Amino acid sequence: MSSSMPGPPQDPYDPQANPYATPAPPAQPPQYPGAGYPAAPPVYPGAAGMPMQPNNGMGTAALVCGIVGLVCGITYFLWVFAVILGILAITFGAIGKGKVGRGQANNAGSATAGLVCGIIGMVLPVIYILAVDAALDSIF
């Protein structure tokens, strides 16, 4: 005995047969006037684009390293950090001044200030060490 129902076979995707089935999408989506993105403006050869932004990172890094190195140089027990940050400030300042000379950056003042603060931050621990050495030599 086979259990078959009389009548035509049912489509499993028929919305009337399966109430949980999703409806079929329309054949063509409706077109609305003005829908979509506007057309791009024409590009002419030789037209000027966006100007290059100045690359001021090295001068700013020199200034930050120089100031922090100067503060560490004033504090006697942080002299190691003052020397390391002073070397970094001098390096970044020299690179920043080179970029200003080539026209790639426009912060010559920051690069120069970082360079000077880095030099002073490196010289202060040397002065402190020489002063302590002279004081110890006079005592002993």
Side-chain angles (χ1 to χ4, degrees):
M1 260 207 239
S2 70
S3 64
S4 64
M5 295 182 63
Q10 292 184 345
D11 184 15
Y13 299 106
D14 186 20
Q16 283 78 22
N18 187 358
Y20 300 109
T22 57
Q28 180 79 11
Q31 296 295 324
Y32 300 105
Y37 294 108
V43 177
Y44 301 105
M50 294 277 297
M52 292 276 300
Q53 294 291 326
N55 190 0
N56 293 331
M58 287 295 175
T60 305
L63 183 61
V64 170
C65 288
I67 290 172
V68 174
L70 185 61
V71 170
C72 290
I74 291 171
T75 309
Y76 175 70
F77 59 90
L78 295 175
W79 66 273
V80 174
F81 297 115
V83 171
I84 293 170
L85 289 172
I87 292 170
L88 289 174
I90 291 169
T91 304
F92 292 154
I95 294 171
K97 295 277 287 179
K99 285 189 175 193
V100 169
R102 290 189 300 269
Q104 295 175 348
N106 60 4
N107 62 344
S110 296
T112 304
L115 194 63
V116 170
C117 288
I119 292 170
I120 294 172
M122 282 185 60
V123 169
L124 281 178
V126 173
I127 293 172
Y128 284 156
I129 290 172
L130 292 177
V132 168
D133 185 44
L136 289 177
D137 283 346
S138 67
I139 293 174
F140 298 110

